[in-house]
C-alpha cells in the first residue's frame, strides 16, 4: 500500500561486491549479495529502490549492479 501510493522509497548502499573487502570495511553489515537480493525483492514487490554509490566502487562492481536496472543514487 505504501509503495503504490509512493509513500516509501528504499535507499541501499553497496560499497563493493567483493565479500572479503566488504566484511573488512563494514564488519557488521549485510553481505553484498544479501543487499542485492533485498534490492531485487523490493523492486519486484513494486517498492522504489535506489542503490547508493560508494567511493570504493570498481568498474566491474558498477557494471554488475547496473545490470539490475535499479538506479544509482
Amino acid at each position: 500500500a505504501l509503495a503504490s501510493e509512493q509513500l516509501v522509497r528504499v535507499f541501499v548502499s553497496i560499497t563493493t561486491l567483493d565479500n572479503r573487502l566488504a566484511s573488512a570495511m563494514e564488519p557488521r553489515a549485510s553481505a553484498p549479495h544479501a543487499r542485492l537480493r533485498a534490492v531485487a525483492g523490493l523492486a519486484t514487490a513494486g517498492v522504489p529502490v535506489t542503490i547508493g554509490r560508494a567511493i570504493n566502487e570498481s568498474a566491474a562492481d558498477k557494471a554488475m549492479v547496473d545490470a539490475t536496472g535499479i538506479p544509482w543514487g
Side-chain angles (χ1 to χ4, degrees):
L2 291 175
S4 65
E5 295 181 33
Q6 298 182 355
L7 298 174
V8 66
R9 171 173 285 280
V10 176
F11 184 90
V12 178
S13 65
I14 299 177
T15 55
T16 181
L17 296 178
D18 180 321
N19 282 328
R20 285 181 35 188
L21 180 58
S23 68
M25 292 172 48
E26 301 177 296
R28 291 174 184 81
S30 298
H33 68 276
R35 294 180 196 202
L36 286 173
R37 189 173 39 236
V39 165
L42 289 164
T44 299
V47 177
V49 182
T50 300
I51 297 172
R53 293 179 190 253
I55 59 170
N56 297 308
E57 73 185 48
S58 70
D61 285 356
K62 185 178 181 312
M64 192 170 220
V65 175
D66 281 349
T68 66
I70 304 296
W72 284 84

